[in-house]
Amino acid sequence: MARLSDARRVALSLVVERRLRGARMRELMRGSAALDALGPRDRAFATRLTFGAVLAEGLVRRLIEARRRPGVRLRARVRDALSVSAFELLYLSTPTDVCVSQGTELARRADPHAADVAHALLRALASHDLPVIEAARGRVAVGGNDEGDLALVAAVPPVLVRELVASRGRPFARELLVSLSEPAPVYVAANHLVQGDDEAARLLDAAGLDPRPVGMGGSFALGRPAGLARSGLVDDGRVVPADLSSQLVAAAAAPAPGESLLEVGQGRATKTLLMESCVHSRGGLARIHAIDASPFKVDLARGRLGRLGLGERVSCQVLDGRKVAEGGLAFAPEGGFDAAFVDAPCTGVGTLRRHPEAVWSLADDALGEALRSLGALQTDLLRAAATRVRRGGTLVFATCSPLRHEDEDVIRAFLASPEGGDFSVRDVLESAGLAALGPRAVTLARDLAGPTDLEGCLCVRQRLGGPDAHFCARLVRGT
Ligand SMILES: C[S@@+](CC[C@H](N)C(=O)[O-])C[C@H]1O[C@@H](n2cnc3c(N)ncnc32)[C@H](O)[C@@H]1O
């Protein structure tokens, strides 16, 4: 019997826990003592295995069903063990014999009677399915972008590949899908309310996080991000962890100092903080009133902003954003807000590296249904927020998805609606907030921009080692 490695044991315990608690993997990993107890290499490997097993679970489940002998029943824990080992076998470069022997031990840990069945199944996957996936990987590596190959290589539902290709074309889809094979980079923004960029860089460096400036004022990619939570810099509000695309969107949405902004879909207030930090670097603060439909998130946001001394400038309210036109806002300046920002609920296709559980919830008909219902909600949120924007004011809409149905299509539906009649699209890259982050920020955003058929909108490309795919549109109300 081979000795089971610690990283695989921890990966299995996380996958089991996720199934039992229905929690998001990212949240489970954040609080995992077992993961924290591993050395840096094992920790990185366990992280890779867990995220990968969750991302590929739909494909692996289908392959295992096809290879399972009739009459052989697999307990849920054994399926969990197989999902980890099959992912390693099919998607990482571990030698097959190691995968099979470690996978057998992992299954034995889940159920002492399951070792033989697991061994046979992993051997079958190695003989029949691994060569098919390797062949697809070979074609994609030399520039191939056949949709079936891309779905196999990225372990995602074919319908998602089709939708990506239809939305942004094959090169964009290929880049995004290939990027799923690596963990997402970790970015942080210096909180300008507390200190300048140099001091933030010094603190990040002293904490051993290896900060690398990305060319946009106050924004860093972390070379060694594992110690970020332990560093205390996030709890102290010195830095705000946020993907670079979120930082770009927040900068584009940030109002001018002294202006008022209605934020719809505040979540945990990450972009609220980024916006105030951006406004502060222009010499003041904004008055933000933020709403979210989730009481849990509003509580978190209020607590976070209060701790960071923004309780006076930002108010948070539980409210359905579709209702803001009907009254009910706890704060509403006369004549309307100077700006509104709708950070819309979406499929999250641009953040699959961080939330891999979303991938197979978008399989088959589920993707079309999600796009239909989210598209309607997004349009309604935009229409309602528009009624609260003063004449000459700005309305920014964002999603963390590059799918056209929840991006440009929503903007077009809004512009055709009665509330959208006197709004027009302006270039995201010309927003004052982005310019405030320095000239290189605009160049960076331009370099990251993918194709869009609505001039002025920004859809960030997602490449290996780069930020998430986000969409942003900026509209201005006529005077
Ligand atoms: C993309 S997330 C927001 C992320 C957040 N702004 C941040 O920076 O972390 C979308 C948010 O919309 C909220 N939401 C969903 N439906 C809503 C509705 N009908 N009205 C208001 N908020 C809603 C969700 O609870 C979620 O927090």
Side-chain angles (χ1 to χ4, degrees):
M1 253 194 286
R3 182 186 169 275
L4 181 60
S5 78
D6 290 340
R8 294 182 180 89
R9 176 181 52 74
V10 170
L12 173 60
S13 69
L14 285 164
V15 169
V16 170
E17 203 183 335
R18 172 191 162 251
R19 177 174 51 75
L20 295 177
R21 289 179 41 192
R24 279 184 159 199
M25 192 48 94
R26 213 157 108 104
E27 255 96 76
L28 280 182
M29 291 174 92
R30 239 180 236 147
S32 167
L35 195 61
D36 282 346
L38 297 175
R41 279 187 56 168
D42 276 352
R43 188 191 160 96
F45 183 45
T47 303
R48 185 78 198 89
L49 278 179
T50 354
F51 270 95
V54 174
L55 190 140
E57 71 181 358
L59 178 70
V60 165
R61 198 184 313 126
R62 289 172 191 197
L63 296 178
I64 287 177
E65 274 315 295
R67 302 286 161 219
R68 186 173 58 88
R69 286 219 215 96
V72 171
R73 294 192 51 216
L74 299 169
R75 291 175 54 194
R77 268 175 189 270
V78 176
R79 287 183 185 278
D80 292 337
L82 283 169
S83 72
V84 173
S85 303
F87 167 73
E88 183 177 4
L89 173 74
L90 300 172
Y91 288 98
L92 301 186
S93 49
T94 315
T96 298
D97 286 348
V98 176
C99 288
V100 174
S101 90
Q102 287 288 301
T104 306
E105 291 318 308
L106 209 56
R108 195 193 306 283
R109 195 178 177 88
D111 174 357
H113 304 294
D116 290 345
V117 171
H119 185 273
L121 270 170
L122 289 168
R123 279 272 165 235
L125 291 178
S127 321
H128 301 287
D129 301 297
L130 180 58
V132 176
I133 294 177
E134 277 181 338
R137 209 164 11 238
R139 290 189 289 271
V140 170
V142 293
N145 55 17
D146 172 83
E147 290 177 14
D149 282 351
L150 288 171
L152 265 186
V153 167
V156 303
V159 66
L160 183 54
V161 179
R162 281 198 295 278
E163 196 59 48
L164 274 165
V165 170
S167 291
R168 308 277 161 206
R170 278 173 196 257
F172 181 103
R174 181 179 177 283
E175 278 184 333
L176 184 144
L177 292 163
V178 168
S179 80
L180 300 182
S181 64
E182 295 275 330
V186 176
Y187 296 97
V188 295
N191 182 357
H192 293 139
L193 298 160
V194 182
Q195 89 272 279
D197 299 349
D198 292 348
E199 176 64 359
R202 195 191 62 74
L203 290 167
L204 289 163
D205 197 41
L209 300 168
D210 186 18
R212 301 163 187 185
V214 297
M216 189 167 97
S219 187
F220 302 91
L222 300 183
R224 283 190 298 276
L228 178 62
R230 278 193 305 275
S231 72
L233 296 174
V234 176
D235 289 343
D236 293 352
R238 296 260 174 195
V239 298
V240 183
D243 185 73
L244 186 59
S245 296
S246 295
Q247 296 182 37
L248 283 170
V249 167
E259 285 191 339
S260 59
L261 175 129
L262 171 66
E263 182 182 6
V264 177
Q266 181 189 30
R268 293 156 199 244
T270 297
K271 292 199 190 78
T272 319
L273 265 174
L274 292 170
M275 285 191 287
E276 284 290 21
S277 169
C278 187
V279 178
H280 190 262
S281 55
R282 293 170 68 191
L285 281 175
R287 171 66 177 94
I288 297 182
H289 184 64
I291 62 163
D292 199 286
S294 156
F296 173 72
K297 289 184 187 169
V298 170
D299 249 14
L300 284 179
R302 200 177 276 138
R304 186 179 187 190
L305 294 164
R307 277 193 304 281
L308 299 178
L310 281 169
E312 300 275 291
R313 301 301 302 176
V314 184
S315 40
C316 310
Q317 184 185 0
V318 180
L319 189 66
D320 187 324
R322 289 169 291 193
K323 303 222 167 104
V324 301
E326 303 159 16
L329 276 178
F331 171 78
E334 216 172 314
F337 286 86
D338 297 305
F341 171 40
V342 178
D343 199 11
C346 67
T347 56
V349 166
T351 56
L352 296 178
R353 292 176 298 181
R354 299 169 203 278
H355 303 296
E357 39 277 299
V359 173
W360 287 88
S361 69
L362 300 173
D364 307 323
D365 295 342
L367 179 60
E369 278 158 29
L371 288 174
R372 263 188 299 283
S373 67
L374 283 165
L377 172 60
Q378 291 154 347
T379 311
D380 287 348
L381 291 173
L382 204 44
R383 291 176 62 180
T387 64
R388 294 299 190 151
V389 176
R390 69 161 167 80
R391 300 218 150 265
T394 307
L395 175 59
V396 170
F397 172 84
T399 66
C400 45
S401 166
L403 300 185
R404 204 171 291 269
H405 287 306
E406 44 190 345
D407 295 341
E408 286 92 336
D409 288 0
V410 169
I411 301 300
R412 287 203 171 89
F414 166 68
L415 290 170
S417 74
E419 295 82 359
D422 53 356
F423 281 84
S424 53
V425 179
R426 296 290 164 86
D427 197 336
V428 170
L429 300 183
E430 285 172 10
S431 64
L434 198 55
L437 295 178
R440 289 177 63 201
V442 180
T443 314
L444 178 72
R446 209 179 296 284
D447 288 349
L448 290 170
T452 168
D453 64 1
L454 195 53
E455 210 181 317
C457 294
L458 173 70
C459 179
V460 175
R461 281 179 190 286
Q462 184 174 313
R463 293 183 264 222
L464 261 179
D468 294 343
H470 283 224
F471 174 83
C472 183
R474 193 166 69 96
L475 304 122
V476 171
R477 186 170 189 177
T479 46

